[in-house]
Every structure is written in C-alpha cells, then in structure tokens.
Amino acid sequence: MKRITAPLRKLMALSSADRRTLFAAAACMPLFWLGLRVLGLPRFQALLRRTHLTVQTAMSLGEIQTLGNLVNVAARHTLGPRSCLTRSLLLTWLLGRRGVTSQLRIGVRLEAGTLRAHAWVECEGAPVNDQPEIGAQFASFGDLLPMQAFRTP
C-alpha cells in the first residue's frame, strides 16, 4: 500500500500547473519515441521546429530545471520504451514552446572498451535535466550538423 500512496502524495503535492505538465510529458513521451524511430533525429527536429507555437514566458533557471525534473519523472513512469534522447528532445520542445532557448547535447565516452552515448539539455551552458557535471563526463558533439554537410558534391 505504501508503494502506491507515497507517489500519489508526491503527485498531489505538485501545483496544478506542474501536474498538467507532468501528464502532458507522459502523454508525449511515446509519441516522441515513435517520431525518433520513424523519422530519425534530424527530420524529427525539423518537424518539431515547424510545428510548435512559441509563448513568450520568462523562466528562471530553477523553473527550467523543475520542468526538466518533471520530464524525467514522466519518463520513469511512462509505459513503453524511452531514452535519454527521447526525454531530452521532449524537454527541448517544451522549452521552445515557452520561448526558452535550449541546446540538445549529445556526448560520448569510452567505458571499459565500450562506446557510451548520452543526451541532455542545456540552457545558458547549464544542464537542466541531468547532473551538473554531465558535460565533463561525456565529450559533447556540440551543435548537430545538418545531414547536407555530409553529402559529397
């Protein structure tokens, strides 16, 4: 019984706006996973840039990190597959809808002979949905290049 009541108590402690955001993120998570699988990252990002409406709201770094935490919670409690790339892309889109500029970071590291990759979101150089030192743990690719950059003339 405690396994059910503790999360429910945490949910009810959230503001109504945060609960709406949490439910919206949970509903969007499978759609973002599917969009990434069907379209691939560059085409899905282009689609998201064309489709979102921007509402200008001033958000502090703390509010942006709260939004990142809500997306992370939604990812942990959503049925179906999800990844750091899915939740980070969703967070970038949600921030963009609020008029907040953010950067999707994808980094790699070599761990016991295996290449590991990770995605996170930064605002003004600070990670907002991951540990503060994540940029030091993974070598970031920086801004992604468009696919046309890899085509030969």
mmCIF file with all atom_site columns, all heavy atoms in Angstrom, residues 100-114:
data_model
loop_
_atom_site.group_PDB
_atom_site.id
_atom_site.type_symbol
_atom_site.label_atom_id
_atom_site.label_alt_id
_atom_site.label_comp_id
_atom_site.label_asym_id
_atom_site.label_entity_id
_atom_site.label_seq_id
_atom_site.pdbx_PDB_ins_code
_atom_site.Cartn_x
_atom_site.Cartn_y
_atom_site.Cartn_z
_atom_site.occupancy
_atom_site.B_iso_or_equiv
_atom_site.pdbx_formal_charge
_atom_site.auth_seq_id
_atom_site.auth_comp_id
_atom_site.auth_asym_id
_atom_site.auth_atom_id
_atom_site.pdbx_PDB_model_num
ATOM 1   N N   . VAL A 1 100 ? 11.885 29.532 -24.447 1.00 0.00 ? 100 VAL A N   1
ATOM 2   C CA  . VAL A 1 100 ? 13.201 29.377 -23.821 1.00 0.00 ? 100 VAL A CA  1
ATOM 3   C C   . VAL A 1 100 ? 14.155 28.724 -24.817 1.00 0.00 ? 100 VAL A C   1
ATOM 4   O O   . VAL A 1 100 ? 13.864 27.663 -25.366 1.00 0.00 ? 100 VAL A O   1
ATOM 5   C CB  . VAL A 1 100 ? 13.109 28.521 -22.534 1.00 0.00 ? 100 VAL A CB  1
ATOM 6   C CG1 . VAL A 1 100 ? 14.483 28.287 -21.938 1.00 0.00 ? 100 VAL A CG1 1
ATOM 7   C CG2 . VAL A 1 100 ? 12.169 29.174 -21.527 1.00 0.00 ? 100 VAL A CG2 1
ATOM 8   N N   . THR A 1 101 ? 15.287 29.353 -25.034 1.00 0.00 ? 101 THR A N   1
ATOM 9   C CA  . THR A 1 101 ? 16.310 28.796 -25.908 1.00 0.00 ? 101 THR A CA  1
ATOM 10  C C   . THR A 1 101 ? 17.102 27.737 -25.139 1.00 0.00 ? 101 THR A C   1
ATOM 11  O O   . THR A 1 101 ? 17.568 27.986 -24.033 1.00 0.00 ? 101 THR A O   1
ATOM 12  C CB  . THR A 1 101 ? 17.270 29.901 -26.391 1.00 0.00 ? 101 THR A CB  1
ATOM 13  O OG1 . THR A 1 101 ? 16.499 30.894 -27.072 1.00 0.00 ? 101 THR A OG1 1
ATOM 14  C CG2 . THR A 1 101 ? 18.325 29.346 -27.321 1.00 0.00 ? 101 THR A CG2 1
ATOM 15  N N   . SER A 1 102 ? 17.234 26.577 -25.732 1.00 0.00 ? 102 SER A N   1
ATOM 16  C CA  . SER A 1 102 ? 17.988 25.487 -25.103 1.00 0.00 ? 102 SER A CA  1
ATOM 17  C C   . SER A 1 102 ? 18.773 24.750 -26.170 1.00 0.00 ? 102 SER A C   1
ATOM 18  O O   . SER A 1 102 ? 18.517 24.907 -27.358 1.00 0.00 ? 102 SER A O   1
ATOM 19  C CB  . SER A 1 102 ? 17.041 24.531 -24.366 1.00 0.00 ? 102 SER A CB  1
ATOM 20  O OG  . SER A 1 102 ? 16.157 23.921 -25.278 1.00 0.00 ? 102 SER A OG  1
ATOM 21  N N   . GLN A 1 103 ? 19.728 23.962 -25.731 1.00 0.00 ? 103 GLN A N   1
ATOM 22  C CA  . GLN A 1 103 ? 20.559 23.185 -26.647 1.00 0.00 ? 103 GLN A CA  1
ATOM 23  C C   . GLN A 1 103 ? 20.477 21.708 -26.268 1.00 0.00 ? 103 GLN A C   1
ATOM 24  O O   . GLN A 1 103 ? 20.679 21.358 -25.105 1.00 0.00 ? 103 GLN A O   1
ATOM 25  C CB  . GLN A 1 103 ? 22.029 23.617 -26.590 1.00 0.00 ? 103 GLN A CB  1
ATOM 26  C CG  . GLN A 1 103 ? 22.284 25.041 -27.040 1.00 0.00 ? 103 GLN A CG  1
ATOM 27  C CD  . GLN A 1 103 ? 21.927 26.065 -25.980 1.00 0.00 ? 103 GLN A CD  1
ATOM 28  O OE1 . GLN A 1 103 ? 22.151 25.845 -24.799 1.00 0.00 ? 103 GLN A OE1 1
ATOM 29  N NE2 . GLN A 1 103 ? 21.356 27.173 -26.408 1.00 0.00 ? 103 GLN A NE2 1
ATOM 30  N N   . LEU A 1 104 ? 20.187 20.893 -27.259 1.00 0.00 ? 104 LEU A N   1
ATOM 31  C CA  . LEU A 1 104 ? 20.248 19.456 -27.090 1.00 0.00 ? 104 LEU A CA  1
ATOM 32  C C   . LEU A 1 104 ? 21.708 19.054 -27.222 1.00 0.00 ? 104 LEU A C   1
ATOM 33  O O   . LEU A 1 104 ? 22.341 19.354 -28.232 1.00 0.00 ? 104 LEU A O   1
ATOM 34  C CB  . LEU A 1 104 ? 19.402 18.756 -28.156 1.00 0.00 ? 104 LEU A CB  1
ATOM 35  C CG  . LEU A 1 104 ? 19.467 17.231 -28.189 1.00 0.00 ? 104 LEU A CG  1
ATOM 36  C CD1 . LEU A 1 104 ? 18.839 16.647 -26.924 1.00 0.00 ? 104 LEU A CD1 1
ATOM 37  C CD2 . LEU A 1 104 ? 18.767 16.709 -29.427 1.00 0.00 ? 104 LEU A CD2 1
ATOM 38  N N   . ARG A 1 105 ? 22.249 18.419 -26.218 1.00 0.00 ? 105 ARG A N   1
ATOM 39  C CA  . ARG A 1 105 ? 23.644 17.962 -26.245 1.00 0.00 ? 105 ARG A CA  1
ATOM 40  C C   . ARG A 1 105 ? 23.670 16.446 -26.333 1.00 0.00 ? 105 ARG A C   1
ATOM 41  O O   . ARG A 1 105 ? 22.926 15.759 -25.639 1.00 0.00 ? 105 ARG A O   1
ATOM 42  C CB  . ARG A 1 105 ? 24.397 18.407 -24.993 1.00 0.00 ? 105 ARG A CB  1
ATOM 43  C CG  . ARG A 1 105 ? 24.504 19.895 -24.835 1.00 0.00 ? 105 ARG A CG  1
ATOM 44  C CD  . ARG A 1 105 ? 25.472 20.429 -25.856 1.00 0.00 ? 105 ARG A CD  1
ATOM 45  N NE  . ARG A 1 105 ? 25.641 21.849 -25.678 1.00 0.00 ? 105 ARG A NE  1
ATOM 46  C CZ  . ARG A 1 105 ? 25.778 22.701 -26.666 1.00 0.00 ? 105 ARG A CZ  1
ATOM 47  N NH1 . ARG A 1 105 ? 25.798 22.285 -27.908 1.00 0.00 ? 105 ARG A NH1 1
ATOM 48  N NH2 . ARG A 1 105 ? 25.924 23.974 -26.436 1.00 0.00 ? 105 ARG A NH2 1
ATOM 49  N N   . ILE A 1 106 ? 24.531 15.954 -27.191 1.00 0.00 ? 106 ILE A N   1
ATOM 50  C CA  . ILE A 1 106 ? 24.767 14.519 -27.305 1.00 0.00 ? 106 ILE A CA  1
ATOM 51  C C   . ILE A 1 106 ? 26.256 14.318 -27.124 1.00 0.00 ? 106 ILE A C   1
ATOM 52  O O   . ILE A 1 106 ? 27.056 14.958 -27.811 1.00 0.00 ? 106 ILE A O   1
ATOM 53  C CB  . ILE A 1 106 ? 24.289 13.972 -28.657 1.00 0.00 ? 106 ILE A CB  1
ATOM 54  C CG1 . ILE A 1 106 ? 22.791 14.210 -28.803 1.00 0.00 ? 106 ILE A CG1 1
ATOM 55  C CG2 . ILE A 1 106 ? 24.628 12.490 -28.783 1.00 0.00 ? 106 ILE A CG2 1
ATOM 56  C CD1 . ILE A 1 106 ? 22.223 13.835 -30.154 1.00 0.00 ? 106 ILE A CD1 1
ATOM 57  N N   . GLY A 1 107 ? 26.601 13.466 -26.181 1.00 0.00 ? 107 GLY A N   1
ATOM 58  C CA  . GLY A 1 107 ? 28.007 13.230 -25.897 1.00 0.00 ? 107 GLY A CA  1
ATOM 59  C C   . GLY A 1 107 ? 28.317 11.745 -25.853 1.00 0.00 ? 107 GLY A C   1
ATOM 60  O O   . GLY A 1 107 ? 27.425 10.902 -25.770 1.00 0.00 ? 107 GLY A O   1
ATOM 61  N N   . VAL A 1 108 ? 29.606 11.440 -25.918 1.00 0.00 ? 108 VAL A N   1
ATOM 62  C CA  . VAL A 1 108 ? 30.065 10.049 -25.872 1.00 0.00 ? 108 VAL A CA  1
ATOM 63  C C   . VAL A 1 108 ? 31.225 9.925  -24.901 1.00 0.00 ? 108 VAL A C   1
ATOM 64  O O   . VAL A 1 108 ? 31.892 10.913 -24.570 1.00 0.00 ? 108 VAL A O   1
ATOM 65  C CB  . VAL A 1 108 ? 30.506 9.540  -27.264 1.00 0.00 ? 108 VAL A CB  1
ATOM 66  C CG1 . VAL A 1 108 ? 29.336 9.473  -28.207 1.00 0.00 ? 108 VAL A CG1 1
ATOM 67  C CG2 . VAL A 1 108 ? 31.615 10.390 -27.831 1.00 0.00 ? 108 VAL A CG2 1
ATOM 68  N N   . ARG A 1 109 ? 31.463 8.705  -24.461 1.00 0.00 ? 109 ARG A N   1
ATOM 69  C CA  . ARG A 1 109 ? 32.652 8.381  -23.670 1.00 0.00 ? 109 ARG A CA  1
ATOM 70  C C   . ARG A 1 109 ? 32.959 6.902  -23.873 1.00 0.00 ? 109 ARG A C   1
ATOM 71  O O   . ARG A 1 109 ? 32.078 6.106  -24.206 1.00 0.00 ? 109 ARG A O   1
ATOM 72  C CB  . ARG A 1 109 ? 32.466 8.718  -22.199 1.00 0.00 ? 109 ARG A CB  1
ATOM 73  C CG  . ARG A 1 109 ? 31.539 7.795  -21.448 1.00 0.00 ? 109 ARG A CG  1
ATOM 74  C CD  . ARG A 1 109 ? 31.479 8.162  -19.983 1.00 0.00 ? 109 ARG A CD  1
ATOM 75  N NE  . ARG A 1 109 ? 30.505 7.314  -19.301 1.00 0.00 ? 109 ARG A NE  1
ATOM 76  C CZ  . ARG A 1 109 ? 29.924 7.621  -18.173 1.00 0.00 ? 109 ARG A CZ  1
ATOM 77  N NH1 . ARG A 1 109 ? 30.207 8.759  -17.575 1.00 0.00 ? 109 ARG A NH1 1
ATOM 78  N NH2 . ARG A 1 109 ? 29.073 6.808  -17.612 1.00 0.00 ? 109 ARG A NH2 1
ATOM 79  N N   . LEU A 1 110 ? 34.213 6.573  -23.689 1.00 0.00 ? 110 LEU A N   1
ATOM 80  C CA  . LEU A 1 110 ? 34.658 5.190  -23.788 1.00 0.00 ? 110 LEU A CA  1
ATOM 81  C C   . LEU A 1 110 ? 34.703 4.630  -22.378 1.00 0.00 ? 110 LEU A C   1
ATOM 82  O O   . LEU A 1 110 ? 35.382 5.172  -21.505 1.00 0.00 ? 110 LEU A O   1
ATOM 83  C CB  . LEU A 1 110 ? 36.034 5.135  -24.446 1.00 0.00 ? 110 LEU A CB  1
ATOM 84  C CG  . LEU A 1 110 ? 36.478 3.785  -24.980 1.00 0.00 ? 110 LEU A CG  1
ATOM 85  C CD1 . LEU A 1 110 ? 35.471 3.240  -25.981 1.00 0.00 ? 110 LEU A CD1 1
ATOM 86  C CD2 . LEU A 1 110 ? 37.838 3.900  -25.630 1.00 0.00 ? 110 LEU A CD2 1
ATOM 87  N N   . GLU A 1 111 ? 33.957 3.565  -22.151 1.00 0.00 ? 111 GLU A N   1
ATOM 88  C CA  . GLU A 1 111 ? 33.837 2.968  -20.822 1.00 0.00 ? 111 GLU A CA  1
ATOM 89  C C   . GLU A 1 111 ? 34.114 1.472  -20.931 1.00 0.00 ? 111 GLU A C   1
ATOM 90  O O   . GLU A 1 111 ? 33.320 0.733  -21.502 1.00 0.00 ? 111 GLU A O   1
ATOM 91  C CB  . GLU A 1 111 ? 32.415 3.226  -20.306 1.00 0.00 ? 111 GLU A CB  1
ATOM 92  C CG  . GLU A 1 111 ? 32.160 2.823  -18.888 1.00 0.00 ? 111 GLU A CG  1
ATOM 93  C CD  . GLU A 1 111 ? 30.748 3.206  -18.484 1.00 0.00 ? 111 GLU A CD  1
ATOM 94  O OE1 . GLU A 1 111 ? 30.508 4.405  -18.249 1.00 0.00 ? 111 GLU A OE1 1
ATOM 95  O OE2 . GLU A 1 111 ? 29.883 2.319  -18.419 1.00 0.00 ? 111 GLU A OE2 1
ATOM 96  N N   . ALA A 1 112 ? 35.250 1.043  -20.402 1.00 0.00 ? 112 ALA A N   1
ATOM 97  C CA  . ALA A 1 112 ? 35.651 -0.362 -20.454 1.00 0.00 ? 112 ALA A CA  1
ATOM 98  C C   . ALA A 1 112 ? 35.608 -0.904 -21.879 1.00 0.00 ? 112 ALA A C   1
ATOM 99  O O   . ALA A 1 112 ? 35.113 -2.000 -22.130 1.00 0.00 ? 112 ALA A O   1
ATOM 100 C CB  . ALA A 1 112 ? 34.786 -1.208 -19.519 1.00 0.00 ? 112 ALA A CB  1
ATOM 101 N N   . GLY A 1 113 ? 36.121 -0.125 -22.829 1.00 0.00 ? 113 GLY A N   1
ATOM 102 C CA  . GLY A 1 113 ? 36.182 -0.560 -24.214 1.00 0.00 ? 113 GLY A CA  1
ATOM 103 C C   . GLY A 1 113 ? 34.877 -0.436 -24.983 1.00 0.00 ? 113 GLY A C   1
ATOM 104 O O   . GLY A 1 113 ? 34.802 -0.837 -26.133 1.00 0.00 ? 113 GLY A O   1
ATOM 105 N N   . THR A 1 114 ? 33.846 0.084  -24.349 1.00 0.00 ? 114 THR A N   1
ATOM 106 C CA  . THR A 1 114 ? 32.545 0.239  -24.991 1.00 0.00 ? 114 THR A CA  1
ATOM 107 C C   . THR A 1 114 ? 32.222 1.720  -25.132 1.00 0.00 ? 114 THR A C   1
ATOM 108 O O   . THR A 1 114 ? 32.387 2.489  -24.190 1.00 0.00 ? 114 THR A O   1
ATOM 109 C CB  . THR A 1 114 ? 31.441 -0.449 -24.151 1.00 0.00 ? 114 THR A CB  1
ATOM 110 O OG1 . THR A 1 114 ? 31.782 -1.819 -23.967 1.00 0.00 ? 114 THR A OG1 1
ATOM 111 C CG2 . THR A 1 114 ? 30.092 -0.356 -24.834 1.00 0.00 ? 114 THR A CG2 1
#
